[in-house]
Amino acid sequence: MTTRAFRQIDVFGSDPFSGNPLAVVHDADGLSTKEMQQFTRWANLSESAFLMAPTSSAADYRVRIFTLARELPFAGHPTLGSCHAWLEAGGSPAEAGVVVQECGAGLVRVGQNSEGLAFAAPPLVRDGPVEQPLADQVTAVLGLDDSEIVDMQWADNGPGWIAVLLPDAEAVLGVEPDFRRYPGALDLGLVGPYPDGSECDFEIRALFSDDRGMAREDPVTGSLNASVGQWLLSTGRAESPYRVSQGTVLGRRGRVTITRDGEGTVWVAGRTVTAIEGLIEI
């Protein structure tokens, strides 16, 4: 075992302890995949991140991201939380003002705006309509009728998201999923608009089945907000910038800001704060 620096970051929270916590292990070179997965299960958060030296000359650092069940090529709140931890530990990007993260999905740019750290949404690996048999099963899992769904689309940038647009935020908050109705893994993102003049423009929920087939909900999800943002902006259902509320059902106050720059890149921004800092033997 080796003593390594450790941080736990609250990501996307609008208030203290209101976002999505991330465990970050520094100087993780030398750890095996088995050790990283074991630590992640012990930490018992939605994800843990492991910072390493980059293998690409274009990157400032490399990160491996794990859920309780598996490794992910990319995830949003671990991207912002990892960048926050790397900078706080003294990391200095090669290009002033832009950090380049290397992960399983490739290179991801992280910048900063008035809302906090912001990552550039990676390209979708799958989009387009959801196949009808699967769409029917998704509808059943959500306990809805076809008439209650405005649209459904693949919005997969790594985790495997299927985005489901509902008529309004109230409908999103009212869903009670039952993953026993689908004999496999599903990653579902629900989104619905708030009335004009509300604090936030949309409510989002990230629902998925874990390695035991049980339903879980992620408090605040950067990757889902990235892919849903690309979808909503490209179809004219949202205008840049817009603000998202997530985690309401779980008693959190997650806030995510989505913008699209002049080149068409979608950026996902939110607040990052170190909640715990210390050393760990791993």
Side-chain angles (χ1 to χ4, degrees), residues 159-224:
W161 296 113
I162 295 174
V164 183
L165 178 63
L166 299 184
D168 51 43
E170 183 178 359
V172 170
L173 294 171
V175 168
E176 297 182 3
D178 184 355
F179 281 89
R180 294 173 299 179
R181 295 171 178 166
Y182 181 75
L186 274 178
D187 296 271
L188 305 178
L190 310 185
V191 57
Y194 276 101
D196 291 343
S198 300
E199 178 205 352
C200 294
D201 299 292
F202 293 92
E203 181 73 31
I204 277 186
R205 293 177 67 186
L207 308 171
F208 57 95
S209 51
D210 65 15
D211 55 332
R212 297 182 180 180
M214 302 298 291
R216 294 181 65 91
E217 181 162 356
D218 198 43
V220 202
T221 318
S223 63
L224 176 61

Coordinates of all heavy atoms in Angstrom, one line a residue, residues 159-224:
P159 N -21.8 6.7 -21.2 CA -22.5 5.8 -20.3 C -23.7 5.0 -20.9 O -24.1 4.0 -20.4 CB -23.0 6.8 -19.3 CG -22.1 8.0 -19.4 CD -21.7 8.1 -20.8
G160 N -24.2 5.5 -22.1 CA -25.3 4.8 -22.7 C -26.7 5.4 -22.5 O -27.7 4.7 -22.5
W161 N -26.7 6.7 -22.4 CA -28.0 7.4 -22.1 C -29.0 7.3 -23.2 O -28.8 7.5 -24.3 CB -27.7 8.9 -21.8 CG -26.9 9.2 -20.6 CD1 -25.6 9.7 -20.6 CD2 -27.2 8.9 -19.2 NE1 -25.2 9.8 -19.3 CE2 -26.1 9.3 -18.5 CE3 -28.3 8.4 -18.6 CZ2 -26.1 9.2 -17.1 CZ3 -28.3 8.2 -17.2 CH2 -27.2 8.7 -16.5
I162 N -30.3 7.1 -22.7 CA -31.5 7.3 -23.5 C -32.2 8.5 -22.9 O -32.5 8.5 -21.7 CB -32.4 6.1 -23.6 CG1 -31.7 4.9 -24.2 CG2 -33.7 6.4 -24.2 CD1 -32.5 3.6 -24.2
A163 N -32.4 9.6 -23.7 CA -33.1 10.8 -23.2 C -34.6 10.7 -23.5 O -35.0 10.3 -24.6 CB -32.5 12.0 -23.9
V164 N -35.3 11.0 -22.5 CA -36.8 11.0 -22.6 C -37.3 12.4 -22.2 O -37.2 12.8 -21.1 CB -37.4 9.9 -21.6 CG1 -38.9 9.9 -21.8 CG2 -36.8 8.6 -21.9
L165 N -38.0 13.0 -23.2 CA -38.5 14.4 -23.0 C -40.0 14.2 -22.6 O -40.8 13.6 -23.3 CB -38.4 15.2 -24.3 CG -39.0 16.6 -24.2 CD1 -38.3 17.5 -23.2 CD2 -39.0 17.3 -25.6
L166 N -40.3 14.8 -21.4 CA -41.7 14.8 -20.9 C -42.3 16.2 -21.0 O -41.6 17.1 -21.2 CB -41.7 14.3 -19.4 CG -41.2 12.9 -19.2 CD1 -41.3 12.5 -17.7 CD2 -41.9 11.9 -20.1
P167 N -43.6 16.3 -20.8 CA -44.2 17.6 -21.1 C -43.8 18.7 -20.2 O -43.7 19.9 -20.6 CB -45.7 17.3 -20.8 CG -45.9 15.9 -21.0 CD -44.6 15.3 -20.6
D168 N -43.4 18.4 -18.9 CA -43.0 19.5 -18.0 C -42.2 18.9 -16.9 O -42.1 17.7 -16.7 CB -44.2 20.3 -17.5 CG -45.3 19.4 -16.9 OD1 -45.0 18.5 -16.2 OD2 -46.5 19.7 -17.2
A169 N -41.6 19.8 -16.1 CA -40.8 19.4 -14.9 C -41.6 18.6 -13.9 O -41.1 17.7 -13.3 CB -40.2 20.6 -14.3
E170 N -42.9 19.0 -13.7 CA -43.7 18.3 -12.8 C -43.9 16.8 -13.1 O -43.8 15.9 -12.3 CB -45.1 18.9 -12.7 CG -46.0 18.3 -11.7 CD -47.4 19.0 -11.6 OE1 -47.6 20.0 -12.3 OE2 -48.2 18.5 -10.8
A171 N -44.0 16.5 -14.4 CA -44.1 15.1 -14.9 C -42.8 14.4 -14.6 O -42.8 13.2 -14.2 CB -44.4 15.1 -16.4
V172 N -41.7 15.1 -14.8 CA -40.3 14.4 -14.5 C -40.3 14.1 -13.1 O -39.8 12.9 -12.7 CB -39.2 15.4 -14.9 CG1 -37.9 14.9 -14.4 CG2 -39.2 15.6 -16.4
L173 N -40.6 15.0 -12.2 CA -40.5 14.7 -10.7 C -41.5 13.6 -10.3 O -41.3 13.0 -9.2 CB -40.8 16.0 -10.0 CG -39.8 17.1 -10.2 CD1 -40.2 18.4 -9.6 CD2 -38.4 16.7 -9.6
G174 N -42.6 13.4 -11.0 CA -43.6 12.4 -10.6 C -43.3 11.0 -11.0 O -44.0 10.1 -10.6
V175 N -42.3 10.8 -11.9 CA -42.0 9.4 -12.3 C -41.5 8.5 -11.2 O -40.6 8.9 -10.5 CB -41.0 9.4 -13.5 CG1 -40.5 8.0 -13.8 CG2 -41.6 10.1 -14.7
E176 N -42.0 7.3 -11.1 CA -41.5 6.3 -10.2 C -41.2 5.1 -11.0 O -42.0 4.2 -11.3 CB -42.6 6.0 -9.2 CG -43.0 7.1 -8.3 CD -44.1 6.8 -7.2 OE1 -44.4 5.6 -7.1 OE2 -44.5 7.7 -6.5
P177 N -39.9 4.9 -11.4 CA -39.5 3.8 -12.3 C -39.5 2.5 -11.6 O -39.3 2.4 -10.4 CB -38.0 4.3 -12.6 CG -37.5 5.0 -11.4 CD -38.7 5.8 -10.9
D178 N -39.7 1.5 -12.4 CA -39.6 0.1 -12.0 C -38.8 -0.7 -13.0 O -39.3 -1.1 -14.0 CB -41.0 -0.5 -11.9 CG -41.0 -1.9 -11.3 OD1 -39.9 -2.5 -11.1 OD2 -42.1 -2.5 -11.1
F179 N -37.5 -0.9 -12.6 CA -36.6 -1.5 -13.5 C -36.7 -3.0 -13.6 O -36.1 -3.7 -14.4 CB -35.1 -1.2 -13.2 CG -34.7 0.2 -13.6 CD1 -34.9 1.3 -12.8 CD2 -34.1 0.4 -14.9 CE1 -34.5 2.6 -13.3 CE2 -33.8 1.7 -15.3 CZ -34.0 2.8 -14.5
R180 N -37.6 -3.6 -12.8 CA -37.9 -5.0 -12.9 C -38.6 -5.3 -14.2 O -38.7 -6.5 -14.6 CB -38.8 -5.4 -11.7 CG -38.1 -5.4 -10.3 CD -39.0 -5.6 -9.2 NE -40.1 -4.7 -9.1 CZ -41.1 -4.7 -8.2 NH1 -41.1 -5.6 -7.3 NH2 -42.0 -3.7 -8.3
R181 N -39.1 -4.3 -14.8 CA -39.9 -4.5 -16.1 C -38.9 -4.6 -17.3 O -39.4 -4.8 -18.4 CB -40.8 -3.3 -16.3 CG -41.9 -3.2 -15.3 CD -42.7 -2.0 -15.4 NE -43.8 -1.9 -14.4 CZ -44.5 -0.9 -14.1 NH1 -44.3 0.3 -14.7 NH2 -45.5 -0.9 -13.2
Y182 N -37.6 -4.5 -17.0 CA -36.6 -4.6 -18.1 C -35.5 -5.5 -17.6 O -34.8 -5.2 -16.7 CB -36.1 -3.3 -18.6 CG -35.1 -3.4 -19.7 CD1 -35.5 -3.6 -21.0 CD2 -33.7 -3.2 -19.5 CE1 -34.7 -3.7 -22.0 CE2 -32.8 -3.3 -20.5 CZ -33.3 -3.6 -21.8 OH -32.4 -3.7 -22.9
P183 N -35.3 -6.6 -18.3 CA -34.2 -7.6 -17.8 C -32.8 -7.2 -18.3 O -32.2 -8.0 -19.0 CB -34.7 -8.9 -18.4 CG -35.4 -8.5 -19.7 CD -36.0 -7.2 -19.4
G184 N -32.3 -6.1 -18.0 CA -31.0 -5.7 -18.4 C -30.7 -4.3 -17.9 O -31.4 -3.7 -17.1
A185 N -29.5 -3.8 -18.3 CA -29.1 -2.4 -17.9 C -29.7 -1.3 -18.7 O -29.7 -1.4 -19.9 CB -27.6 -2.4 -17.9
L186 N -30.2 -0.3 -18.1 CA -30.7 0.8 -18.7 C -30.2 2.1 -18.1 O -30.1 2.2 -16.8 CB -32.2 0.9 -18.7 CG -33.1 0.1 -19.7 CD1 -34.5 0.2 -19.4 CD2 -32.8 0.6 -21.1
D187 N -29.9 3.1 -18.9 CA -29.5 4.4 -18.4 C -30.4 5.4 -19.0 O -30.3 5.7 -20.2 CB -28.0 4.7 -18.8 CG -27.0 3.8 -18.1 OD1 -26.6 4.1 -17.0 OD2 -26.7 2.7 -18.7
L188 N -31.3 6.0 -18.2 CA -32.4 6.8 -18.7 C -32.2 8.3 -18.1 O -32.0 8.4 -16.9 CB -33.7 6.3 -18.3 CG -34.0 4.8 -18.7 CD1 -35.4 4.4 -18.2 CD2 -33.9 4.7 -20.2
G189 N -32.4 9.2 -19.0 CA -32.4 10.6 -18.6 C -33.7 11.3 -18.9 O -34.1 11.3 -20.1
L190 N -34.4 11.7 -17.9 CA -35.7 12.4 -18.1 C -35.5 13.9 -18.0 O -34.7 14.4 -17.2 CB -36.6 12.0 -16.9 CG -36.8 10.5 -16.6 CD1 -37.9 10.3 -15.6 CD2 -37.1 9.7 -17.9
V191 N -36.2 14.6 -18.9 CA -36.1 16.1 -18.9 C -37.4 16.7 -19.2 O -38.2 16.1 -20.0 CB -35.0 16.5 -20.0 CG1 -35.4 16.0 -21.4 CG2 -34.9 18.0 -20.0
G192 N -37.7 17.8 -18.5 CA -39.0 18.5 -18.7 C -38.8 19.9 -18.4 O -38.1 20.3 -17.5
P193 N -39.5 20.8 -19.1 CA -39.3 22.3 -18.9 C -40.1 22.8 -17.7 O -41.2 22.3 -17.4 CB -39.8 22.9 -20.2 CG -40.9 21.9 -20.7 CD -40.3 20.5 -20.3
Y194 N -39.6 23.8 -17.1 CA -40.3 24.6 -16.1 C -41.0 25.7 -16.8 O -40.7 26.1 -17.9 CB -39.3 25.2 -15.1 CG -38.9 24.2 -14.0 CD1 -37.7 23.5 -14.0 CD2 -39.8 24.0 -12.9 CE1 -37.4 22.7 -13.0 CE2 -39.4 23.1 -11.9 CZ -38.2 22.5 -11.9 OH -37.9 21.6 -10.9
P195 N -42.0 26.3 -16.1 CA -42.7 27.5 -16.7 C -41.8 28.7 -16.9 O -40.8 28.8 -16.2 CB -43.8 27.8 -15.7 CG -44.0 26.5 -14.9 CD -42.7 25.9 -14.9
D196 N -42.1 29.5 -17.8 CA -41.3 30.7 -18.1 C -41.2 31.5 -16.8 O -42.2 31.6 -16.0 CB -41.9 31.6 -19.2 CG -41.8 30.9 -20.5 OD1 -41.0 30.0 -20.7 OD2 -42.6 31.4 -21.4
G197 N -40.1 32.1 -16.5 CA -39.9 32.9 -15.3 C -39.5 32.1 -14.1 O -39.2 32.7 -13.0
S198 N -39.3 30.8 -14.2 CA -38.8 30.0 -13.1 C -37.3 30.2 -12.9 O -36.6 30.6 -13.8 CB -39.1 28.5 -13.3 OG -40.5 28.3 -13.5
E199 N -36.8 29.7 -11.7 CA -35.4 29.8 -11.4 C -34.6 29.0 -12.4 O -33.5 29.5 -12.9 CB -35.1 29.3 -10.0 CG -33.6 29.4 -9.7 CD -33.2 28.4 -8.6 OE1 -34.1 27.7 -8.0 OE2 -32.0 28.2 -8.4
C200 N -35.1 27.8 -12.8 CA -34.4 27.0 -13.7 C -35.3 26.8 -14.9 O -36.5 26.9 -14.9 CB -34.1 25.6 -13.1 SG -32.8 25.8 -11.7
D201 N -34.7 26.4 -16.0 CA -35.4 26.2 -17.3 C -35.9 24.7 -17.4 O -36.9 24.5 -18.1 CB -34.5 26.5 -18.5 CG -34.1 28.0 -18.4 OD1 -35.0 28.9 -18.6 OD2 -32.9 28.3 -18.2
F202 N -35.1 23.8 -16.9 CA -35.5 22.4 -17.0 C -35.2 21.6 -15.7 O -34.3 22.0 -15.0 CB -34.7 21.7 -18.2 CG -35.0 22.2 -19.5 CD1 -34.3 23.2 -20.1 CD2 -36.0 21.6 -20.3 CE1 -34.6 23.7 -21.4 CE2 -36.3 22.1 -21.6 CZ -35.6 23.1 -22.1
E203 N -36.0 20.6 -15.5 CA -35.6 19.6 -14.5 C -35.2 18.3 -15.2 O -35.7 17.9 -16.2 CB -36.9 19.2 -13.6 CG -36.6 18.2 -12.5 CD -35.8 18.8 -11.3 OE1 -36.0 20.0 -11.1 OE2 -35.1 18.0 -10.7
I204 N -34.1 17.7 -14.7 CA -33.5 16.5 -15.2 C -33.4 15.5 -14.1 O -33.1 15.8 -13.0 CB -32.1 16.8 -15.9 CG1 -32.4 17.3 -17.3 CG2 -31.3 15.6 -15.9 CD1 -31.1 17.5 -18.1
R205 N -33.6 14.2 -14.5 CA -33.4 13.1 -13.6 C -32.6 12.0 -14.3 O -32.9 11.8 -15.5 CB -34.7 12.5 -13.1 CG -35.4 13.4 -12.1 CD -36.7 12.8 -11.7 NE -36.5 11.6 -10.8 CZ -37.5 10.8 -10.4 NH1 -38.8 11.0 -10.8 NH2 -37.3 9.8 -9.6
A206 N -31.6 11.5 -13.7 CA -30.8 10.4 -14.2 C -31.1 9.1 -13.5 O -30.8 8.9 -12.3 CB -29.3 10.7 -14.1
L207 N -31.7 8.2 -14.2 CA -32.2 6.9 -13.6 C -31.5 5.7 -14.3 O -31.4 5.7 -15.5 CB -33.7 6.8 -13.8 CG -34.6 7.9 -13.3 CD1 -36.0 7.7 -13.8 CD2 -34.5 8.1 -11.8
F208 N -31.1 4.8 -13.5 CA -30.4 3.6 -14.1 C -30.5 2.4 -13.1 O -30.8 2.6 -12.0 CB -28.9 3.9 -14.4 CG -28.1 4.4 -13.2 CD1 -27.4 3.5 -12.4 CD2 -28.1 5.7 -12.8 CE1 -26.6 3.9 -11.3 CE2 -27.4 6.2 -11.7 CZ -26.6 5.3 -11.0
S209 N -30.2 1.3 -13.7 CA -30.2 0.0 -12.9 C -28.7 -0.3 -12.6 O -27.9 -0.1 -13.4 CB -30.8 -1.1 -13.7 OG -30.3 -1.2 -15.0
D210 N -28.5 -0.7 -11.3 CA -27.1 -1.0 -10.9 C -26.7 -2.4 -11.3 O -27.4 -3.1 -12.0 CB -26.9 -0.7 -9.4 CG -27.7 -1.6 -8.5 OD1 -28.2 -2.6 -9.0 OD2 -27.9 -1.2 -7.3
D211 N -25.5 -2.9 -10.8 CA -25.1 -4.2 -11.1 C -25.9 -5.3 -10.6 O -25.8 -6.5 -10.9 CB -23.6 -4.4 -10.6 CG -23.5 -4.1 -9.1 OD1 -24.2 -3.3 -8.6 OD2 -22.5 -4.7 -8.5
R212 N -26.9 -5.0 -9.7 CA -27.8 -6.0 -9.1 C -29.2 -5.8 -9.7 O -30.1 -6.5 -9.2 CB -27.8 -5.9 -7.6 CG -26.5 -6.2 -6.9 CD -26.6 -6.1 -5.4 NE -25.3 -6.4 -4.8 CZ -25.1 -6.4 -3.5 NH1 -26.1 -6.1 -2.7 NH2 -23.9 -6.6 -3.0
G213 N -29.3 -5.0 -10.7 CA -30.6 -4.7 -11.3 C -31.6 -3.9 -10.5 O -32.8 -3.7 -10.8
M214 N -31.0 -3.2 -9.5 CA -31.9 -2.3 -8.7 C -31.8 -0.9 -9.2 O -30.9 -0.4 -9.8 CB -31.3 -2.3 -7.2 CG -31.3 -3.6 -6.6 SD -32.9 -4.4 -6.4 CE -33.7 -3.3 -5.2
A215 N -33.0 -0.2 -9.0 CA -33.1 1.2 -9.5 C -32.2 2.1 -8.7 O -32.2 2.1 -7.5 CB -34.5 1.6 -9.5
R216 N -31.5 3.0 -9.4 CA -30.7 4.0 -8.7 C -30.9 5.4 -9.4 O -31.3 5.4 -10.6 CB -29.2 3.7 -8.7 CG -28.8 2.5 -7.9 CD -27.4 2.2 -7.9 NE -26.6 3.3 -7.3 CZ -26.2 3.3 -6.0 NH1 -26.6 2.3 -5.2 NH2 -25.5 4.3 -5.5
E217 N -30.7 6.4 -8.7 CA -30.8 7.8 -9.3 C -29.6 8.6 -8.9 O -29.1 8.6 -7.7 CB -32.1 8.5 -8.7 CG -32.2 9.9 -9.3 CD -33.6 10.4 -9.2 OE1 -34.5 9.7 -8.7 OE2 -33.8 11.6 -9.6
D218 N -29.0 9.2 -9.9 CA -27.8 10.0 -9.7 C -28.2 11.4 -9.3 O -29.1 12.0 -9.9 CB -27.0 10.0 -11.0 CG -25.5 10.4 -10.8 OD1 -24.9 10.0 -9.8 OD2 -25.0 11.2 -11.6
P219 N -27.5 12.0 -8.3 CA -27.9 13.3 -7.9 C -27.8 14.4 -8.9 O -28.8 15.2 -9.1 CB -27.0 13.6 -6.7 CG -26.5 12.3 -6.2 CD -26.5 11.4 -7.5
V220 N -26.6 14.5 -9.6 CA -26.4 15.5 -10.6 C -25.4 14.9 -11.6 O -24.4 14.4 -11.2 CB -25.9 16.9 -10.1 CG1 -26.2 18.0 -11.1 CG2 -26.4 17.2 -8.7
T221 N -25.8 15.0 -12.9 CA -25.1 14.2 -13.9 C -24.6 15.1 -15.1 O -25.4 15.5 -15.9 CB -26.0 13.1 -14.4 OG1 -26.7 12.5 -13.3 CG2 -25.2 12.0 -15.2
G222 N -23.3 15.3 -15.1 CA -22.7 16.1 -16.2 C -22.8 15.5 -17.6 O -23.1 16.2 -18.5
S223 N -22.5 14.2 -17.7 CA -22.6 13.6 -19.0 C -24.0 13.6 -19.6 O -24.2 13.9 -20.8 CB -22.1 12.1 -18.9 OG -23.0 11.3 -18.1
L224 N -25.0 13.4 -18.8 CA -26.4 13.4 -19.3 C -26.7 14.9 -19.6 O -27.4 15.1 -20.7 CB -27.3 12.9 -18.2 CG -28.8 13.0 -18.5 CD1 -29.2 12.2 -19.7 CD2 -29.7 12.6 -17.3

